[in-house]
Amino acid sequence: MAMALALYHNDMSSCAQKVRLVLHEKGLDWESRHLDLRAGEHQQDWYVKLNPRAVVPTLIDGDTVVPESNVINEYLDERFPDPPLKPADAFGRARMRLWTKQLDEGVHDAGIAVLSFAVAFRHQYIAKGESGAAMLESIPDPFKRERRRDVIEKGLDSEHFRMAIERLLHLYRDMDRALADRPWLAGERYSIADAAFTPYVVRLDHLDVMGLLDSTPRVAGWYRRIQARPSFAHAIVRWENTSYLELMKRQGRENWSKIKGIADAL
Ligand SMILES: N[C@@H](CCC(=O)N[C@@H](CS)C(=O)NCC(=O)O)C(=O)O
């Protein structure tokens, strides 16, 4: 029997991790439609019709197609309200959205994606030769395409890398300040904001660069509480891809002193 909910996603993608967290927090059954991003499966014509930016994730709910992870998570919370993953008051919900909107304003594309590509994923593209170059040319957004080209070519020496570290450290400081007043990012209970930001610490963990959180200890404490929730095992750990992880950890460790030097000089 076909399940109503299906998710086009990728095992290691941050944007997919945050939707899987919400699916599991809500105890929903969903069908996995996994796309191999390094084989360009998300750039095929049939998928771009569902998701014009050629990115994962995309949720399918019966005949309904919903792209964009922040939009998907709010959609899931309205469609399946129990347990609620939004604060009960209007200001709390505004606070939650002040967090999530930042992801589409630079934290994702210019922040964590640049960090990940500069340290690790560029090696996957370079190893693919011609097909890696073709994948780069198929990125629909010209700003994202040119930034990625620069980061693949120059790695940690790309100017985008320093800016990514600056933006991410700013984010972790903001999170640290918010967590001084309340247990979860938007208030007294776990919300879509906590799910949305979890991948932005998971990525540091996977790259073995958790030292970037040394001056924001409340973020590290929040991450430990997130890891203790059952959804973390289902949505993150169960999907860990060992070949990605091996590359990420090795490159993160080899580059740590340079990364730390760039962070310290900011
Ligand atoms: N704003 C989008 C961003 C999605 C996105 O950038 N997804 C990444 C993985 S985290 C992707 O599919 N990248 C493929 C590529 O850049 O070619 C969302 O939140 O869904």
Side-chain angles (χ1 to χ4, degrees):
M1 194 182 73
M3 267 188 281
L5 288 180
L7 187 70
Y8 288 100
H9 69 136
N10 171 264
D11 44 18
M12 296 297 279
S13 138
S14 308
C15 313
Q17 287 169 337
K18 73 201 243 213
V19 172
R20 292 198 302 260
L21 282 168
V22 166
L23 287 165
H24 287 286
E25 286 285 340
K26 288 190 171 283
L28 295 167
D29 283 332
W30 56 283
E31 179 192 319
S32 164
R33 299 190 187 165
H34 188 266
L35 297 178
D36 181 346
L37 301 184
R38 298 297 173 264
E41 287 182 349
H42 58 305
Q43 295 177 328
Q44 301 170 91
D45 290 346
W46 67 266
Y47 182 71
V48 178
K49 287 197 182 99
L50 301 177
N51 188 315
R53 294 187 62 210
V55 288
V56 290
T58 303
L59 180 78
I60 308 293
D61 180 7
D63 294 330
T64 305
V65 179
V66 189
E68 289 295 327
S69 58
N70 286 331
V71 178
I72 295 172
N73 280 348
E74 292 232 24
Y75 172 85
L76 287 171
D77 198 52
E78 284 187 30
R79 175 104 166 74
F80 306 98
D82 194 29
L85 291 181
K86 282 198 200 80
D89 60 305
F91 180 61
R93 289 193 293 278
R95 195 151 59 187
M96 181 190 89
R97 293 184 183 115
L98 287 170
W99 283 112
T100 54
K101 76 194 285 283
Q102 295 182 42
L103 295 172
D104 292 322
E105 293 169 344
V107 165
H108 183 74
D109 279 341
I112 212 79
V114 169
L115 170 71
S116 310
F117 271 82
V119 175
F121 298 159
R122 64 190 284 261
H123 298 288
Q124 297 170 324
Y125 267 67
I126 293 166
K128 291 185 82 74
E130 299 269 298
S131 68
M135 277 171 50
L136 182 64
E137 299 310 331
S138 298
I139 294 175
D141 177 346
F143 299 104
K144 175 172 162 181
R145 190 192 318 130
E146 294 315 314
R147 183 168 49 224
R148 182 158 301 173
R149 190 192 310 282
D150 196 69
V151 170
I152 290 174
E153 272 171 29
K154 300 181 189 149
L156 268 54
D157 294 324
S158 165
E159 182 64 4
H160 293 286
F161 183 72
R162 190 190 54 73
M163 292 188 284
I165 295 289
E166 185 174 345
R167 180 64 189 93
L168 289 170
L169 291 180
H170 196 294
L171 168 73
Y172 301 131
R173 279 195 296 274
D174 285 346
M175 291 172 71
D176 201 67
R177 262 195 298 274
L179 293 165
D181 299 337
R182 45 188 188 263
W184 301 105
L185 288 175
E188 291 306 310
R189 71 179 179 215
Y190 179 95
S191 80
I192 286 174
D194 301 288
F197 280 87
T198 296
Y200 297 82
V201 178
V202 167
R203 185 53 54 86
L204 302 187
D205 200 356
H206 285 170
L207 288 167
D208 223 341
V209 296
M210 288 290 274
L212 289 176
L213 298 183
D214 279 353
S215 56
T216 51
R218 289 187 204 95
V219 179
W222 166 88
Y223 181 54
R224 281 192 293 276
R225 283 184 285 122
I226 296 259
Q227 286 177 299
R229 297 175 77 85
S231 61
F232 191 87
H234 290 293
I236 312 286
V237 180
R238 176 247 178 275
W239 292 98
E240 280 173 2
N241 176 323
T242 41
S243 78
Y244 268 59
L245 271 185
E246 191 274 325
L247 170 76
M248 292 165 84
K249 292 215 180 283
R250 179 164 42 82
Q251 291 295 338
R253 282 175 197 147
E254 277 174 20
N255 287 294
W256 171 241
S257 61
K258 186 160 177 180
I259 297 168
K260 183 160 169 37
I262 291 169
D264 289 346
L266 286 168

